[in-house]
Every structure is written in C-alpha cells, then in structure tokens.
Amino acid sequence: MIESSEHGCILLVRAQPGARRSGIQGEYRGRLKIAVSAPPEDGRANDAIVDVIRESLALKRSQISLLGGQTSRDKRFLITGISLVDLTTRVSEYLKSVS
C-alpha cells in the first residue's frame, strides 16, 4: 500500500469515482481504496482523491502529487515531507478508526 522512494513515499490507491460518499473505504488488493463523488472527467476525481488523502491523513496539498494512473483506477501518489513509518502509522490509525 505504501512504498519507499528516494523522493518520499508512494501511496498506492484504488479509485472509485462517482460514489455516493467520498472517503477512504479500506484496503483493496494491497492498495488504499478511496471513493469520491466526483466523476472521472477532466481530472476532477483525481483532485477529489487528493482532498480525501489530505483531510484523512492530515497532510498538506503541496505534499501530495499524482505520479501515475491519471486515467486508471489504480493510481500512485507521491507523498513528501513525512517518513514511511509516520505515513504507515497514519494510514493504519485511520483504517482502525473507520472500521
């Protein structure tokens, strides 16, 4: 779900655009499943996913950038300014709080 990179951490995401509610839904095949109400048009779903990551994991928008999967459901986000251990802890704690 989270990989280390020389530039930061890579968060693997499975997107579910067009959902009723936005939020982290859990884990799906080694990826963080994120549902967003935005449609997959003109990058709106990608922007909404960034907002969900930012709000759920207490990150700044400038710390999150899309690395790959612009038009795919499987996406890779680069997260900077946080260690792999800290990001893993935040994800784990968030998943525990919503289950």
Side-chain angles (χ1 to χ4, degrees):
M1 181 178 331
I2 303 170
E3 300 173 348
S4 182
S5 163
E6 66 180 76
H7 301 291
C9 302
I10 298 173
L11 182 64
L12 304 175
V13 170
R14 175 69 174 188
Q16 182 183 347
R20 287 186 183 180
R21 289 188 208 147
S22 295
I24 296 175
Q25 303 297 308
E27 190 175 348
Y28 177 81
R29 296 184 181 181
R31 294 177 175 270
L32 194 62
K33 185 175 180 183
I34 300 179
V36 292
S37 57
E41 299 168 352
D42 302 322
R44 290 191 288 186
N46 291 334
D47 290 340
I49 291 170
V50 169
D51 288 339
V52 168
I53 293 169
R54 180 181 54 80
E55 292 169 9
S56 302
L57 303 179
L59 298 169
K60 297 177 186 173
R61 186 179 258 297
S62 61
Q63 290 179 275
I64 307 164
S65 57
L66 181 62
L67 279 182
Q70 181 77 22
T71 59
S72 171
R73 286 180 150 230
D74 293 328
K75 300 180 182 300
R76 298 173 63 229
F77 287 90
L78 176 65
I79 311 295
T80 59
I82 186 170
S83 71
L84 179 65
V85 172
D86 288 341
L87 183 59
T88 302
T89 300
R90 288 186 192 188
V91 170
S92 295
E93 288 176 358
Y94 185 85
L95 291 174
K96 285 179 190 174
S97 73
V98 296
S99 60

